[in-house]
Amino acid sequence: MDGYLFRYRHHFVYWRWLANGDIGIVTVLHERMHQVGRVREAFPD
């Protein structure tokens, strides 16, 4: 499944389209957090 992100100030917001067409927020991470490990947890497939 595809995922997307945008940055707002010091945070990264990861989101994806849900089956019903809505947007689902997967996770919101601060820029100091370990991004790679957290994204792998959020998008396991």
Side-chain angles (χ1 to χ4, degrees), residues 13-30:
V13 179
Y14 293 86
W15 63 276
R16 63 171 55 166
W17 289 107
L18 302 177
N20 66 0
D22 289 345
I23 293 174
I25 302 299
V26 177
T27 189
V28 178
L29 301 176
H30 190 272

Side-chain angles (χ1 to χ4, degrees):
M1 183 174 286
D2 292 332
Y4 305 91
L5 76 98
F6 69 91
R7 183 175 181 157
Y8 180 74
R9 296 188 181 183
H10 298 284
H11 294 85
F12 294 94
V13 179
Y14 293 86
W15 63 276
R16 63 171 55 166
W17 289 107
L18 302 177
N20 66 0
D22 289 345
I23 293 174
I25 302 299
V26 177
T27 189
V28 178
L29 301 176
H30 190 272
E31 66 186 3
R32 292 185 182 178
M33 296 180 78
H34 188 264
Q35 300 290 314
V36 175
R38 298 294 180 148
V39 171
R40 286 185 181 151
E41 291 173 5
F43 295 100
D45 48 345

